[in-house]
Amino acid sequence: MTRSALAPALSWLTPFMKWAPGLTRRDAKADLIAALTGAIVVLPQGVAFAVIAGMPPQYGLYAGMIPAIIAALFGSSRHLVSGPTTAASVVLFSALSGFATPGSADYVMLALTLTFMVGVIELSLGLARMGALVNFISHSVVVGFTAAAAVLIAAKQLKYFFGVDMNSAGHLHEILIEFGHHVIEISPAETLVATVTLLTGIAVKRWVPRIPYMIVAMLVGSLLATVMNRWFGDLFGDAIATVGALPSTLPPLSAPTLTLENIRDLAPTALAVTLFALTEAVSIGRSLAARGGYRIDGNQEFIGQGLSNIAGSFFSGYVATGSFNRSGVNYEAGARTPLAAILGGVFLMAIVLLVAPLASYLPKAAMAGVLFLVAWGLIDFKEIRHILHSSMRETSVFLVTFAAALFLELTFAIFAGVLLSLVLYLERTSRPRIVTRTPDPHLPGRAFSSDPELKQCPQLRFLRIDGSLFFGSVPHVQDAFDRLRAEHPEQKHLALIASGINFVDLQGAEALTDEAQQRRADGGDMYLIKVKQRVWDMLGQCGCMHERDERNVFQSEEVAIRAIYQKLDKSVCATCEARIFGECSR
């Protein structure tokens, strides 16, 4: 293989060459700020996710280091940041807790092994060019999923924003009910810190947009909490909760244990987690790409996620996928290229080594205020209004996805939205538009028109079919044929204008053949006009085109009229008053 031929085949190894050469100083500055913001935000989240997953706390931080860097280098999204997520952590815990005690060495080993297997499956799907699967996630699904996830992000932060001791797991209604039971426990001090952080972020973003508002908001919130804890502790009672000191270590080397027993036990879980992780990552990537005005490559994203988890399994990271929290922060903080996610992973390592003890000054309430800002920024109100006013079909897809994400499972919400989109698409394509066409004597050259008021030839009907003839649409087309023969038995000849037919399968071809045979049995015939080459080839391949059928195929209406007119019953023509064809007056 020549070098020129080899380059495209190996392009998946160097996707970063598409953006790295064009990186400007302005881009790098924006990415630097976004990376620092994201690295700070992931500190408390990483620890929390690890606890949810049944892993030691530091593993949540490890999963946000090397995996995030690899996914950014080999993915296609400019804003997607990979790492631990709430949903992935819950799935991991539910899958592995039956095999080993959470937090134990055996449990960690199984988690690393599962992560490696998930990475291999993801990479295989990417190399097999299965990224086209993401095309089935419609824009309305992405908008609905993003909006619901944003609401859930805010809902899960209620406990920290108001300083109440409650269980924030579960669906939206469960969180709100639980919060209602703890309303009387709201902490004025923590609510004040969270509110000041939130308002600071809004003010800086609105009036001083050049300054990284998230970092400023967290610093103001941290400073306020420190002052309140030190000088006004007696006034507010309990001290304001902080993230707490974090371990100052880099991710140690590790390795999956690929025994036959482990592979057999974990294979079903690995497949399920893979589908979930890819759906989550690509959905987030597509939603942010739509906001950023670019497109992602599904195949490359699969490859990036696969390499990310494979690498993570060797650097003490459990299953990583696209993180809504970190990706949303990355986007809202002004990231322009994947460099932000790469630097975010590097900064996280530096922070864990050098600044981890200072996390004890970062209040959880301030983090909640920042995440409220992130959640608000993720809801695309303009696009939601556009969907609600443009199409009932798209509105239903949006609402189903949004509601399912809020009250069921995030993954199920995506599948529900995709399934409904496909059902509506199939329902629409199964009913191709069928219209009567007639020469209009008032138009130049007696051009064809769909005006229902025009007179019809008593022996010949022209129909145009706009849509594919496949197994799903055949019943609708056959019903139209049957209805036409029943209502107008005198029109024994039928001419189909096929310019709108792009595809015909075997069942569709047989439906055309059956109609032609029925017409001939009634003393008429059927004709095809403007058949596309692809459709002609399909009709020939299925053996449905015989010599007589081929003589009934024409390239224009004018040629068809001249040929069909010779077959009409001239006794009927003699008394006809319609005279819609030029040949009728000759």
Side-chain angles (χ1 to χ4, degrees):
M1 183 180 291
T2 63
R3 179 176 298 180
S4 59
L6 185 63
L10 298 179
S11 61
W12 63 272
L13 286 171
T14 57
F16 45 83
M17 293 305 296
K18 295 181 180 179
W19 57 267
L23 191 68
T24 65
R25 179 176 297 181
R26 188 175 181 181
D27 293 336
K29 180 180 178 181
D31 289 342
L32 185 69
I33 295 173
L36 182 58
T37 306
I40 295 174
V41 168
V42 79
L43 285 174
Q45 293 178 348
V47 174
F49 292 154
V51 173
I52 294 172
M55 300 285 286
Q58 62 270 27
Y59 280 79
L61 299 175
Y62 299 155
M65 296 177 181
I66 301 299
I69 296 173
I70 299 298
L73 277 173
F74 293 96
S76 64
S77 173
R78 300 177 192 172
H79 299 101
L80 183 68
V81 181
S82 287
T85 65
T86 303
S89 300
V90 171
V91 172
L92 186 78
F93 177 81
S94 62
L96 299 183
S97 57
F99 294 105
T101 302
S104 65
D106 289 340
Y107 187 92
V108 171
M109 177 271 296
L110 289 175
L112 296 175
T113 303
L114 178 64
T115 301
F116 179 82
M117 294 173 63
V118 168
V120 170
I121 298 174
E122 289 175 331
L123 179 60
S124 300
L125 290 175
L127 294 177
R129 313 297 293 175
M130 297 296 288
L133 294 173
V134 304
N135 294 333
F136 293 101
I137 305 175
S138 73
H139 182 61
S140 298
V141 172
V142 173
V143 174
F145 178 74
T146 306
V151 174
L152 286 174
I153 289 173
K156 290 179 181 294
Q157 296 302 313
L158 288 175
K159 63 179 296 184
Y160 301 115
F161 195 97
F162 294 100
V164 297
D165 184 14
M166 57 173 276
N167 180 14
S168 61
H171 306 120
L172 178 63
H173 62 285
E174 295 171 335
I175 297 173
L176 294 179
I177 292 174
E178 180 71 10
F179 178 70
H181 294 156
H182 293 80
V183 168
I184 59 175
E185 303 172 11
I186 288 178
S187 167
E190 304 221 14
T191 303
L192 177 62
V193 170
T195 303
V196 169
T197 303
L198 176 62
L199 295 178
T200 301
I202 294 174
V204 173
K205 184 179 181 180
R206 181 173 181 178
W207 289 302
V208 197
R210 293 184 179 181
I211 299 178
Y213 68 94
M214 291 185 186
I215 293 180
V216 173
M218 283 189 286
L219 289 176
V220 170
S222 300
L223 180 61
L224 176 61
T226 300
V227 171
M228 293 173 63
N229 280 337
R230 182 166 300 182
W231 286 290
F232 300 98
D234 295 336
L235 177 63
F236 291 103
D238 295 336
I240 297 172
T242 62
V243 172
L246 298 173
S248 302
T249 58
L250 291 178
L253 294 177
S254 59
T257 306
L258 297 172
T259 64
L260 289 177
E261 181 181 4
N262 285 342
I263 294 175
R264 182 182 66 251
D265 292 340
L266 297 177
T269 300
L271 181 59
V273 172
T274 297
L275 296 177
F276 164 79
L278 287 179
T279 302
E280 187 174 20
V282 174
S283 297
I284 298 168
R286 283 197 63 184
S287 66
L288 294 177
R291 300 286 298 278
Y294 63 94
R295 297 181 181 178
I296 66 170
D297 181 342
N299 294 317
Q300 193 62 51
E301 210 57 58
F302 280 23
I303 291 171
Q305 292 297 314
L307 293 175
S308 167
N309 280 307
I310 291 174
S313 67
F314 290 98
F315 287 92
S316 300
Y318 69 90
V319 176
T321 183
S323 167
F324 246 119
N325 285 349
R326 294 185 67 189
S327 300
V329 168
N330 194 43
Y331 179 85
E332 289 296 316
R336 298 187 177 186
T337 74
L339 179 64
I342 296 171
L343 291 177
V346 174
F347 286 163
L348 180 58
M349 294 186 213
I351 290 173
V352 168
L353 280 177
L354 305 175
V355 195
L358 297 180
S360 59
Y361 295 99
L362 180 60
K364 294 180 180 179
M367 289 299 308
V370 168
L371 289 176
F372 267 40
L373 287 172
V374 171
W376 180 264
L378 286 174
I379 302 176
D380 194 338
F381 292 99
K382 179 180 179 181
E383 194 58 35
I384 291 175
R385 286 193 297 269
H386 181 239
I387 291 173
L388 295 178
H389 289 90
S390 63
S391 167
M392 284 298 298
R393 294 174 183 269
E394 295 302 321
T395 297
S396 63
V397 171
F398 166 79
L399 292 177
V400 166
T401 306
F402 182 76
L406 289 181
F407 303 108
L408 299 175
E409 301 292 339
L410 282 176
T411 309
F412 178 78
I414 297 173
F415 291 148
V418 171
L419 181 60
L420 181 58
S421 298
L422 292 176
V423 168
L424 293 176
Y425 170 76
L426 291 175
E427 189 273 335
R428 185 168 59 249
T429 56
S430 68
R431 302 177 62 84
R433 183 169 176 259
I434 302 176
V435 295
T436 294
R437 301 284 287 172
T438 310
D440 189 340
H442 304 294
L443 295 178
R446 289 179 177 267
F448 274 65
S449 170
S450 300
D451 186 351
E453 301 299 326
L454 292 175
K455 294 181 180 180
Q456 292 288 323
C457 172
Q459 300 185 69
L460 171 63
R461 173 70 65 122
F462 281 86
L463 289 183
R464 188 183 71 197
I465 299 178
D466 296 330
S468 298
L469 291 182
F470 69 108
F471 64 92
S473 64
V474 163
H476 174 72
V477 175
Q478 288 178 325
D479 288 343
F481 288 160
D482 294 341
R483 187 166 54 253
L484 182 62
R485 274 189 275 104
E487 295 175 357
H488 303 280
E490 73 282 359
Q491 290 182 317
K492 302 181 184 300
H493 297 269
L494 175 63
L496 295 180
I497 302 174
S499 56
I501 302 176
N502 295 316
F503 173 77
V504 174
D505 68 358
L506 178 60
Q507 195 168 338
E510 290 177 346
L512 294 179
T513 302
D514 293 342
E515 181 63 20
Q517 292 175 349
Q518 181 66 47
R519 290 278 172 177
R520 290 164 189 163
D522 294 339
D525 211 337
M526 192 181 79
Y527 315 90
L528 297 178
I529 303 172
K530 294 183 178 178
V531 181
K532 294 183 177 180
Q533 185 62 45
R534 181 183 179 188
V535 174
W536 177 265
D537 293 339
M538 293 175 182
L539 292 173
Q541 290 173 5
C542 72
C544 297
M545 294 298 293
H546 303 294
E547 184 177 352
R548 181 173 179 177
D549 297 310
E550 293 178 359
R551 292 198 301 267
N552 286 350
V553 178
F554 306 97
Q555 292 304 311
S556 69
E557 290 90 340
E558 293 77 9
V559 175
I561 291 173
R562 286 197 295 270
I564 300 172
Y565 182 77
Q566 305 303 321
K567 301 180 181 182
L568 300 181
D569 186 342
K570 296 304 183 290
S571 64
V572 177
C573 293
T575 59
C576 176
E577 297 181 357
R579 304 288 177 179
I580 65 172
F581 303 127
E583 284 75 5
C584 297
S585 58
R586 296 173 186 171

